[in-house]
Coordinates of all heavy atoms in Angstrom, one line a residue:
M169 N 92.7 197.8 89.3 CA 91.5 198.1 90.1 C 90.8 199.3 89.4 O 91.3 200.3 89.2 CB 91.8 198.4 91.5 CG 90.6 198.5 92.4 SD 91.1 198.7 94.1 CE 89.7 199.4 94.8
I170 N 89.5 199.1 89.1 CA 88.7 200.1 88.5 C 87.9 200.9 89.5 O 87.1 200.2 90.3 CB 87.8 199.6 87.4 CG1 88.6 198.8 86.3 CG2 86.9 200.7 86.8 CD1 87.8 197.8 85.5
L171 N 88.1 202.2 89.6 CA 87.3 202.9 90.6 C 86.1 203.6 89.9 O 86.3 204.4 89.0 CB 88.2 204.0 91.2 CG 89.2 203.5 92.3 CD1 90.1 204.7 92.7 CD2 88.5 202.9 93.5
K172 N 84.9 203.2 90.3 CA 83.7 203.9 89.8 C 83.5 205.1 90.6 O 83.7 205.1 91.8 CB 82.5 202.9 89.9 CG 82.5 201.9 88.8 CD 81.1 201.4 88.5 CE 80.4 200.8 89.7 NZ 79.1 200.2 89.3
P173 N 83.0 206.2 89.9 CA 82.6 207.4 90.7 C 81.5 207.0 91.6 O 80.6 206.3 91.3 CB 82.2 208.4 89.7 CG 81.9 207.6 88.4 CD 82.7 206.4 88.5
I174 N 81.6 207.5 92.9 CA 80.5 207.2 93.8 C 79.3 208.2 93.6 O 79.5 209.4 93.5 CB 81.0 207.4 95.3 CG1 82.1 206.3 95.5 CG2 79.9 207.2 96.3 CD1 83.1 206.7 96.6
E175 N 78.2 207.6 93.4 CA 77.0 208.4 93.2 C 76.1 208.4 94.4 O 75.9 207.4 95.1 CB 76.1 207.7 92.1 CG 76.6 208.1 90.7 CD 75.8 207.4 89.6 OE1 74.6 207.0 89.9 OE2 76.3 207.2 88.5
C176 N 75.5 209.6 94.6 CA 74.5 209.7 95.7 C 73.2 208.9 95.2 O 72.7 209.1 94.1 CB 74.1 211.1 95.9 SG 72.7 211.3 97.0
P177 N 72.8 207.9 96.1 CA 71.6 207.1 95.6 C 70.3 207.9 95.6 O 69.3 207.4 95.0 CB 71.6 206.0 96.7 CG 72.3 206.5 97.9 CD 73.3 207.5 97.3
T178 N 70.3 209.0 96.2 CA 69.1 209.8 96.3 C 68.9 210.7 95.0 O 67.9 210.7 94.4 CB 69.0 210.7 97.5 OG1 69.2 209.8 98.7 CG2 67.7 211.4 97.6
C179 N 70.0 211.4 94.7 CA 69.9 212.4 93.6 C 70.8 212.1 92.4 O 70.7 212.7 91.3 CB 70.2 213.8 94.1 SG 71.9 214.1 94.6
G180 N 71.7 211.1 92.6 CA 72.6 210.7 91.4 C 73.8 211.6 91.3 O 74.6 211.4 90.4
E181 N 74.0 212.5 92.2 CA 75.1 213.5 92.1 C 76.4 212.7 92.4 O 76.4 211.8 93.3 CB 74.9 214.6 93.2 CG 76.0 215.6 93.3 CD 76.2 216.3 92.0 OE1 75.3 217.1 91.6 OE2 77.2 216.2 91.4
V182 N 77.5 212.9 91.6 CA 78.7 212.3 91.9 C 79.7 213.1 92.7 O 80.8 212.7 93.1 CB 79.5 211.9 90.6 CG1 78.6 210.8 89.8 CG2 79.7 213.1 89.7
D183 N 79.3 214.3 93.1 CA 80.1 215.2 93.9 C 79.8 214.8 95.4 O 79.0 215.5 96.1 CB 79.7 216.6 93.6 CG 80.7 217.6 94.3 OD1 81.7 217.1 94.8 OD2 80.4 218.8 94.3
V184 N 80.5 213.8 95.9 CA 80.3 213.3 97.3 C 81.6 213.3 98.0 O 82.6 213.1 97.4 CB 79.6 211.9 97.3 CG1 78.2 212.0 96.7 CG2 80.4 210.9 96.6
V185 N 81.6 213.4 99.3 CA 82.8 213.4 100.1 C 82.6 212.3 101.2 O 81.5 212.0 101.6 CB 83.2 214.8 100.7 CG1 83.5 215.7 99.6 CG2 82.0 215.3 101.5
K186 N 83.7 211.8 101.7 CA 83.7 210.9 102.8 C 83.2 211.6 104.1 O 83.5 212.8 104.3 CB 85.1 210.3 103.1 CG 85.4 209.3 102.0 CD 86.8 208.6 102.3 CE 87.1 207.6 101.2 NZ 88.4 206.9 101.5
H187 N 82.4 210.9 104.9 CA 81.7 211.6 106.0 C 81.7 210.7 107.2 O 80.7 210.3 107.7 CB 80.3 212.0 105.5 CG 79.6 212.9 106.5 ND1 80.0 214.1 106.9 CD2 78.4 212.7 107.2 CE1 79.2 214.7 107.7 NE2 78.2 213.8 107.9
G188 N 82.9 210.2 107.6 CA 83.0 209.4 108.8 C 82.5 208.0 108.6 O 82.3 207.5 107.4
K189 N 82.4 207.2 109.6 CA 82.0 205.8 109.5 C 80.7 205.6 110.3 O 80.4 206.3 111.3 CB 83.1 204.9 110.1 CG 84.4 205.0 109.4 CD 84.5 203.8 108.4 CE 85.7 204.0 107.5 NZ 86.9 203.4 108.2
T190 N 80.0 204.5 109.9 CA 78.8 204.2 110.7 C 79.2 203.3 111.9 O 80.3 203.0 112.0 CB 77.8 203.3 109.8 OG1 78.5 202.1 109.5 CG2 77.5 204.0 108.5
E191 N 78.2 203.0 112.7 CA 78.5 202.2 113.9 C 79.1 200.8 113.5 O 79.8 200.2 114.3 CB 77.2 201.9 114.7 CG 76.3 203.1 115.0 CD 75.5 203.5 113.8 OE1 74.6 202.7 113.4 OE2 75.7 204.6 113.3
T192 N 78.7 200.3 112.3 CA 79.2 199.0 111.9 C 80.5 199.1 111.1 O 81.0 198.2 110.6 CB 78.1 198.3 111.1 OG1 77.7 199.2 110.0 CG2 76.9 197.9 111.9
G193 N 81.1 200.3 111.1 CA 82.4 200.5 110.4 C 82.3 200.7 108.9 O 83.4 200.7 108.2
K194 N 81.1 200.9 108.4 CA 81.0 201.2 106.9 C 81.3 202.7 106.6 O 81.0 203.5 107.5 CB 79.6 200.8 106.4 CG 79.4 199.3 106.3 CD 78.1 199.0 105.7 CE 77.9 197.5 105.6 NZ 76.5 197.2 105.3
Q195 N 81.9 202.9 105.5 CA 82.2 204.3 105.1 C 80.9 205.0 104.8 O 80.0 204.5 104.0 CB 83.1 204.3 103.8 CG 83.4 205.7 103.3 CD 84.3 206.4 104.3 OE1 85.4 205.9 104.6 NE2 83.9 207.6 104.7
R196 N 80.8 206.2 105.4 CA 79.6 207.0 105.2 C 80.0 208.2 104.2 O 81.1 208.7 104.3 CB 79.0 207.6 106.5 CG 77.8 208.4 106.3 CD 77.3 209.0 107.6 NE 76.5 208.1 108.4 CZ 76.6 207.9 109.7 NH1 77.5 208.5 110.4 NH2 75.9 207.0 110.4
F197 N 79.1 208.6 103.3 CA 79.4 209.6 102.4 C 78.4 210.8 102.6 O 77.3 210.5 103.0 CB 79.3 209.1 101.0 CG 80.4 208.1 100.7 CD1 80.2 206.8 100.8 CD2 81.6 208.5 100.2 CE1 81.2 205.8 100.5 CE2 82.6 207.6 99.9 CZ 82.4 206.3 100.1
L198 N 78.8 212.0 102.2 CA 78.0 213.1 102.2 C 77.8 213.7 100.8 O 78.8 214.0 100.2 CB 78.6 214.2 103.2 CG 77.8 215.5 103.3 CD1 76.5 215.3 104.0 CD2 78.6 216.6 104.0
C199 N 76.6 213.8 100.4 CA 76.3 214.4 99.1 C 76.5 215.9 99.1 O 76.0 216.6 100.1 CB 74.9 214.0 98.7 SG 74.3 214.7 97.1
Q200 N 77.2 216.4 98.1 CA 77.4 217.9 98.1 C 76.3 218.7 97.5 O 76.4 219.9 97.4 CB 78.8 218.1 97.4 CG 80.0 217.5 98.0 CD 80.5 218.2 99.2 OE1 79.9 218.1 100.3 NE2 81.5 219.0 99.0
N201 N 75.3 218.0 96.9 CA 74.3 218.7 96.3 C 73.4 219.4 97.3 O 72.7 218.7 98.1 CB 73.5 217.7 95.4 CG 72.3 218.3 94.7 OD1 72.0 219.5 94.8 ND2 71.6 217.5 93.9
P202 N 73.3 220.7 97.3 CA 72.5 221.4 98.3 C 71.0 221.2 98.3 O 70.3 221.4 99.2 CB 72.8 222.9 98.1 CG 73.3 223.0 96.7 CD 73.9 221.6 96.4
T203 N 70.5 220.7 97.1 CA 69.1 220.5 97.0 C 68.7 219.0 97.2 O 67.6 218.6 97.2 CB 68.6 220.9 95.6 OG1 69.2 220.0 94.6 CG2 68.9 222.3 95.3
C204 N 69.7 218.2 97.5 CA 69.5 216.8 97.8 C 68.7 216.6 99.1 O 68.9 217.2 100.1 CB 70.8 216.0 97.9 SG 70.6 214.2 98.1
S205 N 67.7 215.7 99.0 CA 66.8 215.5 100.2 C 67.4 214.6 101.3 O 66.9 214.6 102.4 CB 65.5 215.0 99.7 OG 65.7 213.7 99.1
R206 N 68.4 213.9 101.0 CA 68.9 212.9 101.9 C 70.3 213.2 102.4 O 70.6 213.1 103.6 CB 68.9 211.5 101.3 CG 69.0 210.4 102.4 CD 68.2 209.2 102.0 NE 68.7 208.0 102.7 CZ 69.6 207.1 102.1 NH1 70.0 207.3 100.9 NH2 70.0 206.1 102.8
R207 N 71.2 213.6 101.6 CA 72.6 214.0 101.9 C 73.6 212.9 102.3 O 74.6 212.8 101.7 CB 72.6 215.1 102.9 CG 71.8 216.4 102.5 CD 72.2 217.0 101.3 NE 73.6 217.5 101.2 CZ 74.0 218.7 101.7 NH1 73.1 219.5 102.2 NH2 75.2 219.1 101.6
T208 N 73.3 212.2 103.4 CA 74.3 211.2 103.8 C 73.8 209.8 103.4 O 72.6 209.5 103.4 CB 74.6 211.2 105.3 OG1 73.4 210.8 106.0 CG2 75.1 212.6 105.8
F209 N 74.8 208.9 103.1 CA 74.4 207.6 102.7 C 75.6 206.7 102.8 O 76.8 207.1 102.9 CB 73.9 207.5 101.2 CG 75.0 208.0 100.2 CD1 75.8 207.1 99.6 CD2 75.1 209.3 99.9 CE1 76.8 207.5 98.7 CE2 76.1 209.8 99.0 CZ 76.9 208.9 98.4
V210 N 75.4 205.4 102.9 CA 76.5 204.4 102.8 C 76.3 203.6 101.6 O 75.2 203.4 101.0 CB 76.5 203.5 104.1 CG1 76.9 204.2 105.3 CG2 75.2 202.8 104.2
L211 N 77.4 203.1 101.1 CA 77.4 202.3 99.8 C 76.8 200.9 100.2 O 77.1 200.3 101.2 CB 78.8 202.1 99.2 CG 79.4 203.3 98.5 CD1 80.7 202.9 97.9 CD2 78.4 203.8 97.4
L212 N 75.9 200.4 99.3 CA 75.4 199.1 99.5 C 76.3 198.1 98.9 O 77.4 198.4 98.4 CB 74.0 199.0 98.8 CG 73.0 200.0 99.3 CD1 71.7 200.0 98.5 CD2 72.6 199.7 100.8
N213 N 76.0 196.8 99.0 CA 76.8 195.7 98.6 C 77.4 195.9 97.2 O 76.9 195.3 96.3 CB 76.0 194.4 98.6 CG 75.6 194.0 100.0 OD1 76.4 194.2 101.0 ND2 74.5 193.5 100.2
A214 N 78.5 196.6 97.1 CA 79.2 196.8 95.8 C 79.8 195.5 95.3 O 80.0 195.4 94.1 CB 80.2 197.9 95.9
H215 N 80.2 194.6 96.2 CA 80.9 193.4 95.8 C 80.0 192.2 96.1 O 80.5 191.2 96.5 CB 82.2 193.3 96.5 CG 83.1 194.5 96.2 ND1 83.6 194.7 94.9 CD2 83.6 195.5 96.9 CE1 84.4 195.8 94.9 NE2 84.3 196.3 96.1
K216 N 78.8 192.3 95.7 CA 77.9 191.2 96.0 C 78.3 189.9 95.4 O 78.1 188.8 95.9 CB 76.5 191.6 95.5 CG 75.4 190.9 96.2 CD 74.0 191.4 95.7 CE 72.9 190.6 96.4 NZ 71.6 190.9 95.9
G217 N 78.9 190.0 94.2 CA 79.3 188.8 93.4 C 80.4 188.0 94.2 O 80.6 186.9 93.8
R218 N 81.0 188.6 95.1 CA 82.1 187.9 95.8 C 81.6 187.1 97.1 O 82.3 186.4 97.7 CB 83.2 188.9 96.3 CG 83.8 189.5 95.1 CD 84.8 190.5 95.5 NE 85.3 191.2 94.3 CZ 86.4 191.9 94.3 NH1 87.2 192.0 95.4 NH2 86.8 192.4 93.2
L219 N 80.3 187.4 97.4 CA 79.8 186.7 98.6 C 79.6 185.2 98.3 O 79.1 184.8 97.3 CB 78.5 187.4 99.0 CG 78.5 188.8 99.5 CD1 77.1 189.3 99.7 CD2 79.4 189.0 100.7
P220 N 80.0 184.4 99.3 CA 79.9 182.9 99.1 C 78.4 182.5 98.8 O 78.2 181.6 98.0 CB 80.4 182.4 100.4 CG 81.2 183.4 101.0 CD 80.7 184.7 100.5
E221 N 77.5 183.2 99.5 CA 76.1 182.8 99.3 C 75.7 183.0 97.8 O 75.0 182.2 97.3 CB 75.2 183.7 100.2 CG 73.8 183.2 100.4 CD 73.8 181.8 101.0 OE1 74.7 181.4 101.8 OE2 72.8 181.1 100.6
V222 N 76.1 184.1 97.2 CA 75.7 184.3 95.8 C 76.4 183.3 94.9 O 75.8 182.8 94.0 CB 76.2 185.8 95.4 CG1 76.0 186.0 93.9 CG2 75.3 186.8 96.2
K223 N 77.7 183.0 95.2 CA 78.4 182.0 94.4 C 77.6 180.6 94.4 O 77.5 180.0 93.4 CB 79.8 181.8 95.0 CG 80.7 183.0 94.7 CD 82.1 182.7 95.2 CE 83.0 183.9 94.8 NZ 84.4 183.6 95.1
K224 N 77.2 180.3 95.6 CA 76.4 179.0 95.8 C 75.2 179.1 94.9 O 74.8 178.1 94.3 CB 76.0 178.8 97.3 CG 77.0 177.9 98.0 CD 76.4 177.5 99.3 CE 77.2 178.1 100.5 NZ 76.6 178.0 101.8
Q225 N 74.5 180.2 94.9 CA 73.3 180.3 94.2 C 73.5 180.3 92.7 O 72.7 179.7 91.9 CB 72.5 181.6 94.5 CG 71.7 181.5 95.8 CD 71.0 182.8 96.1 OE1 71.6 183.8 96.6 NE2 69.7 182.8 95.8
I226 N 74.6 180.8 92.2 CA 75.0 180.8 90.8 C 75.1 179.3 90.4 O 74.6 178.9 89.4 CB 76.3 181.6 90.6 CG1 76.0 183.1 90.7 CG2 76.8 181.3 89.1 CD1 77.3 183.9 90.6
I227 N 75.9 178.6 91.2 CA 76.1 177.2 90.9 C 74.8 176.4 90.9 O 74.5 175.6 90.0 CB 77.1 176.5 91.8 CG1 78.5 177.3 91.7 CG2 77.3 175.0 91.5 CD1 79.0 177.5 90.3
S228 N 74.0 176.6 91.9 CA 72.8 175.8 92.0 C 71.8 176.2 90.9 O 71.1 175.3 90.4 CB 72.2 176.0 93.4 OG 70.9 176.6 93.4
M229 N 71.7 177.4 90.5 CA 70.9 177.8 89.4 C 71.4 177.2 88.1 O 70.6 176.9 87.2 CB 70.8 179.3 89.3 CG 69.9 179.9 90.4 SD 69.7 181.7 90.3 CE 68.5 181.8 88.9
T230 N 72.7 177.2 87.9 CA 73.3 176.6 86.7 C 72.9 175.1 86.6 O 72.5 174.6 85.5 CB 74.8 176.7 86.7 OG1 75.2 178.1 86.9 CG2 75.5 176.2 85.5
L231 N 73.0 174.4 87.7 CA 72.6 173.0 87.7 C 71.2 172.8 87.4 O 70.8 171.8 86.9 CB 73.0 172.4 89.1 CG 74.5 172.3 89.4 CD1 74.7 171.8 90.9 CD2 75.2 171.4 88.5
N232 N 70.4 173.8 87.8 CA 68.9 173.7 87.5 C 68.6 174.2 86.0 O 67.4 174.3 85.7 CB 68.1 174.5 88.5 CG 68.1 173.9 89.8 OD1 68.0 172.6 89.9 ND2 68.1 174.6 90.9
G233 N 69.6 174.5 85.3 CA 69.4 174.8 83.9 C 69.2 176.3 83.6 O 68.8 176.6 82.4
S234 N 69.4 177.2 84.5 CA 69.2 178.6 84.3 C 70.3 179.1 83.4 O 71.5 178.7 83.6 CB 69.1 179.4 85.6 OG 68.0 179.0 86.3
G235 N 70.0 180.1 82.5 CA 71.0 180.7 81.7 C 71.7 181.8 82.4 O 71.3 182.3 83.5
V236 N 72.9 182.2 81.9 CA 73.7 183.3 82.5 C 72.9 184.6 82.7 O 72.9 185.2 83.7 CB 74.9 183.6 81.6 CG1 75.6 184.9 82.0 CG2 75.9 182.4 81.6
R237 N 72.1 184.9 81.6 CA 71.3 186.2 81.7 C 70.2 186.1 82.9 O 70.0 187.1 83.6 CB 70.5 186.4 80.4 CG 71.4 187.1 79.4 CD 70.8 186.9 78.0 NE 71.7 187.4 77.0 CZ 71.7 188.7 76.6 NH1 70.9 189.6 77.1 NH2 72.6 189.1 75.7
D238 N 69.6 185.0 83.0 CA 68.6 184.8 84.1 C 69.2 184.9 85.4 O 68.7 185.6 86.3 CB 67.9 183.4 84.0 CG 67.0 183.3 82.8 OD1 66.5 184.3 82.4 OD2 66.9 182.2 82.2
I239 N 70.4 184.2 85.6 CA 71.0 184.2 86.9 C 71.5 185.6 87.2 O 71.3 186.1 88.4 CB 72.3 183.3 86.9 CG1 71.8 181.8 86.6 CG2 73.0 183.4 88.2 CD1 72.9 180.9 86.3
S240 N 72.1 186.3 86.2 CA 72.6 187.7 86.5 C 71.4 188.6 86.9 O 71.6 189.4 87.8 CB 73.3 188.1 85.2 OG 72.9 189.4 84.9
R241 N 70.3 188.4 86.3 CA 69.1 189.3 86.6 C 68.6 189.0 88.0 O 68.3 189.9 88.8 CB 68.0 189.1 85.5 CG 67.0 190.3 85.5 CD 66.0 190.1 84.4 NE 65.3 188.8 84.5 CZ 65.3 187.9 83.5 NH1 65.8 188.2 82.4 NH2 64.6 186.8 83.6
V242 N 68.4 187.7 88.3 CA 67.8 187.3 89.5 C 68.7 187.6 90.7 O 68.2 188.1 91.8 CB 67.5 185.8 89.5 CG1 67.1 185.3 90.9 CG2 66.4 185.5 88.5
L243 N 70.0 187.4 90.6 CA 70.9 187.7 91.7 C 71.5 189.1 91.7 O 72.3 189.4 92.6 CB 72.0 186.6 91.7 CG 71.6 185.2 91.8 CD1 72.8 184.3 91.7 CD2 70.8 184.9 93.0
C244 N 71.2 189.9 90.7 CA 71.7 191.3 90.7 C 73.2 191.3 90.6 O 73.8 192.1 91.3 CB 71.2 192.1 91.8 SG 69.4 192.3 91.9
V245 N 73.8 190.4 89.9 CA 75.3 190.4 89.6 C 75.5 190.5 88.1 O 74.6 190.3 87.3 CB 76.0 189.2 90.2 CG1 75.9 189.1 91.7 CG2 75.5 187.9 89.6
S246 N 76.7 190.9 87.7 CA 77.0 191.1 86.3 C 77.1 189.7 85.6 O 77.5 188.8 86.3 CB 78.2 191.9 86.1 OG 79.4 191.2 86.5
P247 N 76.8 189.7 84.3 CA 76.9 188.4 83.6 C 78.3 187.8 83.7 O 78.5 186.6 83.7 CB 76.5 188.8 82.2 CG 75.7 189.9 82.3 CD 76.2 190.7 83.5
S248 N 79.4 188.7 83.7 CA 80.7 188.2 83.7 C 81.0 187.6 85.1 O 81.8 186.6 85.1 CB 81.7 189.4 83.5 OG 81.6 190.4 84.4
T249 N 80.4 188.0 86.1 CA 80.6 187.4 87.4 C 80.0 186.0 87.4 O 80.6 185.0 87.9 CB 79.8 188.2 88.5 OG1 80.4 189.5 88.6 CG2 80.0 187.5 89.9
V250 N 78.8 185.9 86.7 CA 78.2 184.5 86.6 C 79.1 183.6 85.8 O 79.3 182.5 86.2 CB 76.8 184.7 86.0 CG1 76.2 183.3 85.7 CG2 75.9 185.6 86.8
I251 N 79.5 184.1 84.7 CA 80.4 183.3 83.8 C 81.7 182.8 84.5 O 82.0 181.6 84.4 CB 80.7 184.0 82.5 CG1 79.4 184.2 81.6 CG2 81.8 183.3 81.7 CD1 79.5 185.2 80.5
N252 N 82.3 183.7 85.2 CA 83.5 183.4 86.0 C 83.2 182.3 87.0 O 84.0 181.3 87.1 CB 84.1 184.6 86.7 CG 84.8 185.5 85.8 OD1 85.2 185.2 84.7 ND2 84.9 186.8 86.2
E253 N 82.1 182.4 87.7 CA 81.8 181.3 88.7 C 81.5 180.0 88.0 O 81.9 178.9 88.5 CB 80.6 181.8 89.5 CG 80.9 182.7 90.6 CD 82.1 182.3 91.4 OE1 82.1 181.2 92.0 OE2 83.1 183.1 91.5
I254 N 80.8 180.0 86.9 CA 80.5 178.8 86.2 C 81.8 178.1 85.7 O 82.0 176.9 85.8 CB 79.6 179.1 85.0 CG1 78.2 179.5 85.5 CG2 79.4 177.8 84.1 CD1 77.2 180.0 84.4
K255 N 82.7 178.9 85.2 CA 84.0 178.4 84.7 C 84.8 177.7 85.8 O 85.3 176.7 85.7 CB 84.8 179.5 84.1 CG 84.5 179.8 82.6 CD 85.4 180.9 82.1 CE 85.0 181.3 80.7 NZ 85.7 182.5 80.3
K256 N 84.8 178.4 87.0 CA 85.6 177.9 88.1 C 85.0 176.6 88.6 O 85.7 175.8 89.2 CB 85.5 179.0 89.3 CG 86.6 180.0 89.2 CD 86.7 180.8 90.4 CE 86.2 182.2 90.3 NZ 86.0 182.9 91.5
N257 N 83.7 176.5 88.4 CA 83.0 175.3 89.0 C 82.6 174.3 87.9 O 81.8 173.4 88.2 CB 81.8 175.7 89.8 CG 82.2 176.4 91.1 OD1 82.5 175.8 92.1 ND2 82.2 177.8 91.0
R258 N 83.1 174.4 86.7 CA 82.7 173.5 85.6 C 82.9 172.1 86.0 O 82.1 171.2 85.7 CB 83.5 173.9 84.4 CG 83.2 173.0 83.2 CD 83.2 173.8 81.9 NE 82.2 174.8 81.8 CZ 82.1 175.7 80.9 NH1 83.0 175.8 80.0 NH2 81.1 176.6 80.8
K259 N 84.0 171.7 86.6 CA 84.3 170.3 87.0 C 83.2 169.8 87.8 O 82.7 168.6 87.7 CB 85.6 170.2 87.7 CG 86.8 170.3 86.7 CD 88.1 170.3 87.5 CE 89.3 170.6 86.5 NZ 90.5 170.9 87.3
I260 N 82.8 170.6 88.8 CA 81.7 170.1 89.7 C 80.4 170.0 89.0 O 79.7 169.0 89.1 CB 81.5 171.2 90.9 CG1 82.8 171.3 91.7 CG2 80.4 170.7 91.8 CD1 82.8 172.5 92.6
A261 N 80.1 171.0 88.1 CA 78.8 171.0 87.4 C 78.7 169.8 86.4 O 77.6 169.4 86.2 CB 78.7 172.3 86.7
T262 N 79.8 169.3 85.9 CA 79.7 168.3 84.9 C 79.9 166.9 85.5 O 79.9 165.9 84.8 CB 80.6 168.5 83.7 OG1 81.9 168.7 84.2 CG2 80.2 169.8 82.9
A263 N 80.3 166.8 86.8 CA 80.6 165.6 87.4 C 79.4 164.7 87.5 O 78.3 165.2 87.7 CB 81.3 165.8 88.8
Ligands
ZN334 ZN1 72.3 213.6 96.8

């Protein structure tokens, strides 16, 4: 498992600490940068590529002839996520 440093979405500072949970149970973080204008934030969909809805869109765009780069850009997922999904669904796509 690769851990990416957590960045403050407001100032880009990586010096952040955990700061409790939101009402919906998401981890909240506090930016340690004293000049930051926002300070607290929650991480957005870090694992968007795993959502079933995105997977469906990857397959449907593949069937419509879109390339890996297009799909990756439109759905905001990495090209490797797109390629993995295409490989997993190759049998369906060529049937
Ligand atoms: Zn900040």
